[in-house]
Amino acid sequence: MTEFRNFIAGSWSEGASQSPNINPSDTRDVIGAAARASRAEAEAAIEAAHAAAPLWAASTPQQRFDVLDRIGTEILERREELGRLLSREEGKILAEGIGEVMRAGQIFKFFAGEALRQSGDVLASVRPGVTVDVRREPVGVVALITPWNFPIAIPTWKVAPALAYGNTVVLKPAELVPGSAHALAEIISRSGLPVGAFNLVGGKGSDIGPVLTSHPKVKAVSFTGSVPTGRGIARACAENLKKVQLEMGGKNPMVVLDDADLDIAVAASLNGAFFSTGQRCTASSRLIVTEGIHDRFVARMTEALRKLVVGDALDPATQIGPVVDERQLAQDLDYVDIARSEGGKVAFGGERLNREKPGFYMAPALITETTPGMRINREEVFGPVASVIRVKDYDEALAVANDSEFGLSSGICTTSLKYASDFKAKAQAGMVMVNLPTAGVDYHVPFGGTKGSSFGPREQGRYAAEFYTTVKTAYTQP
């Protein structure tokens, strides 16, 4: 059995205990045994990162470029192997798994370039003869806590900028998907980083998280995950005066107006709501449709859902893979029942499916006749479940779209430049899509939301420097 171990101070560790890594497409398939780090091991990882911080902070831009470029190259060369591992442990179909691995490699390549593209300011002081220079410096030891739904892309878009800007890292991946993180660590271990500059600790967040958020040598924490956990991390970081970056939930709207191209609207909604088994924080789980196109849209969506193939993530015929585990599947099914009890109509799906292999399969659910106040439209389900809200016109659609505690991604399908422009300006979200799925973003531009979805500086692109660096202002009198 493959062992997915911790990586601390340049050495592999089996941890204090182990947990099985189960294939959600076939629960008989145990992919490996994942190490759970003890609190002492988490502390050792922080100490190792702290010891390595001065050396890596003093590295040249060329050294950082070489390391990150080397990592990105190997990830891309192994994309099919790593994509298969990812799909096997997380459940997204193989094409999506390989695509995610390719994105991880591209992110490392991008931030390799950012290590060279340094910027700063040299200014004249208001005082005669005095010059001022402003530069960015690394924060220090950064703790990264990542979720299970993008098991290599999200760790990558935190690790790559952290290293590019001269920080050292302790990565704590989700316990459900240890294989992808272990593979990433194995690649990084051969990249030429100083010993201790990158560390991996597995296990339960409830065990290790408090160590990462309270240890005085951790200077910043970046977290992607649930809202309750994120709020707890924010409180802990505030108490310990740490820099914090949070990416949390979403209840993303997709507005479909009467003038929309129906083919585009159905394709964008189907992709945004149900691809990757709906397990994306950017999934369009609220479909807000004006009354003139509502019935045709629902009919077309139902027809499209009937044609989707739900099955083993590694089967080339599969279009929707399994839900990640039994607990998440139960939550998804519970929300379908709740929506039904509140008056929603299940137009399609919403039941557990049996396949040749035992797994966590669910028929993607489309729920109609819902209203904005229902729980299905207020709370994040995080599965292949989408609800439809019928509205009168654009103004009502915009109001309903913004009626949420979340504000991550927001979409609209329309052929009207007027409505598209107005929506981009007035949608209360960090990202807005026009005639595109709400899920699916580029790696070289900022990622993040508003309201309860995000807190702190943006991730990805050159905007990542805001979190992973601190600004120093220096004055010189010749």
Side-chain angles (χ1 to χ4, degrees):
M1 182 180 294
T2 303
E3 291 186 352
F4 302 123
R5 296 171 290 172
N6 299 312
F7 185 68
I8 301 171
S11 298
W12 296 99
S13 164
E14 294 183 358
S17 62
Q18 294 184 331
S19 59
N21 186 18
I22 304 297
N23 180 350
S25 293
D26 183 354
T27 55
R28 302 166 301 183
D29 177 24
V30 180
I31 302 163
R36 287 176 170 172
S38 64
R39 291 178 64 91
E41 286 174 307
E43 291 172 354
I46 294 168
E47 293 292 345
H50 178 72
L55 179 61
W56 186 241
S59 61
T60 68
Q62 187 64 52
Q63 288 172 317
R64 296 181 196 175
F65 171 89
D66 289 344
V67 166
L68 270 68
D69 186 63
R70 199 173 294 127
I71 296 169
T73 295
E74 183 169 347
I75 290 172
L76 292 173
E77 288 175 346
R78 296 172 58 187
R79 59 188 177 273
E80 293 190 9
E81 168 205 344
L82 298 176
R84 187 175 185 85
L85 170 62
L86 190 158
S87 294
R88 190 177 166 208
E89 72 172 353
E90 193 272 344
K92 63 183 58 173
I93 64 172
L94 185 56
E96 292 175 334
I98 293 172
E100 182 179 333
V101 172
M102 290 180 64
R103 178 172 177 176
Q106 291 161 346
I107 290 169
F108 268 104
K109 293 279 190 178
F110 174 84
F111 281 106
E114 286 297 281
L116 293 173
R117 286 187 289 269
Q118 297 187 41
S119 62
D121 297 302
V122 177
L123 309 169
S125 171
V126 295
R127 291 168 286 178
V130 175
T131 59
V132 183
D133 68 86
V134 181
R135 66 189 71 180
R136 289 191 175 274
E137 296 183 343
V139 173
V141 178
V142 181
L144 310 175
I145 304 172
T146 59
W148 51 260
N149 61 323
F150 285 89
I152 196 167
I154 293 180
T156 289
W157 80 48
K158 296 178 188 293
V159 172
L163 295 177
Y165 297 121
N167 302 281
T168 54
V169 168
V170 179
L171 170 64
K172 193 298 202 189
E175 191 175 16
L176 279 175
V177 286
S180 295
H182 181 273
L184 178 62
E186 185 255 340
I187 291 171
I188 293 173
S189 73
R190 297 191 305 274
S191 65
L193 271 178
V195 170
F198 172 85
N199 304 271
L200 172 72
V201 288
K204 292 184 177 180
S206 56
D207 294 336
I208 301 173
V211 178
L212 301 179
T213 57
S214 64
H215 199 290
K217 291 180 180 176
V218 173
K219 301 304 179 184
V221 178
S222 179
F223 166 82
T224 299
S226 70
V227 173
T229 302
R231 287 175 174 168
I233 288 173
R235 287 190 293 268
C237 288
E239 177 67 25
N240 293 283
L241 300 179
K242 299 183 190 302
K243 208 170 185 181
V244 64
Q245 178 185 63
L246 307 174
E247 290 297 338
M248 299 174 286
K251 196 65 187 174
N252 310 292
M254 171 60 82
V255 171
V256 180
L257 299 184
D258 285 353
D259 66 5
D261 181 308
L262 191 55
D263 290 337
I264 291 175
V266 170
S269 299
L270 196 71
N271 181 311
F274 300 109
F275 285 18
S276 295
T277 320
Q279 296 175 150
R280 300 184 283 195
C281 57
T282 52
S284 43
S285 54
R286 291 186 297 147
L287 307 176
I288 302 167
V289 187
T290 49
E291 55 189 7
I293 201 173
H294 176 276
D295 292 351
R296 287 181 291 141
F297 174 81
V298 169
R300 286 283 301 277
M301 281 290 291
T302 303
E303 178 185 357
L305 286 170
R306 283 199 179 97
K307 295 177 181 177
L308 288 179
V309 178
V310 179
D312 188 327
L314 299 181
D315 185 337
T318 296
Q319 295 169 288
I320 303 290
V323 174
V324 71
D325 69 353
E326 186 72 51
R327 181 178 177 183
Q328 186 64 48
L329 177 59
Q331 176 175 300
D332 297 345
L333 296 173
D334 284 347
Y335 269 106
V336 173
D337 289 340
I338 290 168
R340 188 184 284 113
S341 70
E342 291 183 329
K345 176 186 175 183
V346 181
F348 183 85
E351 71 275 4
R352 184 167 191 162
L353 298 175
N354 293 317
R355 292 294 182 260
E356 182 180 350
K357 299 175 182 177
F360 309 119
Y361 300 107
M362 177 179 175
L366 184 68
I367 303 170
T368 61
E369 308 305 322
T370 74
T371 58
M374 290 180 177
R375 285 182 61 188
I376 196 66
N377 290 319
R378 311 304 300 179
E379 301 170 11
E380 186 175 38
V381 178
F382 216 71
V385 180
S387 55
V388 181
I389 305 172
R390 187 196 302 257
V391 294
K392 181 180 179 182
D393 53 22
Y394 169 74
D395 289 335
E396 185 181 359
L398 176 64
V400 171
N402 288 336
D403 181 19
S404 174
E405 66 177 284
F406 299 109
L408 183 54
S409 185
S410 191
I412 187 170
C413 290
T414 180
T415 56
S416 166
L417 180 59
K418 170 188 172 182
Y419 289 136
S421 299
D422 191 73
F423 191 79
K424 287 192 290 184
K426 295 178 181 177
Q428 296 172 4
M431 299 175 289
V432 180
M433 313 293 186
V434 177
N435 295 323
L436 290 165
T438 57
V441 296
D442 295 340
Y443 58 84
H444 67 302
V445 296
F447 177 96
T450 61
K451 298 189 278 189
S453 290
S454 303
F455 182 81
R458 288 288 188 257
E459 295 197 277
Q460 300 201 87
R462 62 185 178 85
Y463 290 82
E466 295 299 325
F467 179 72
Y468 291 103
T469 64
T470 185
V471 174
K472 176 182 284 184
T473 305
Y475 293 82
T476 302
Q477 171 69 66

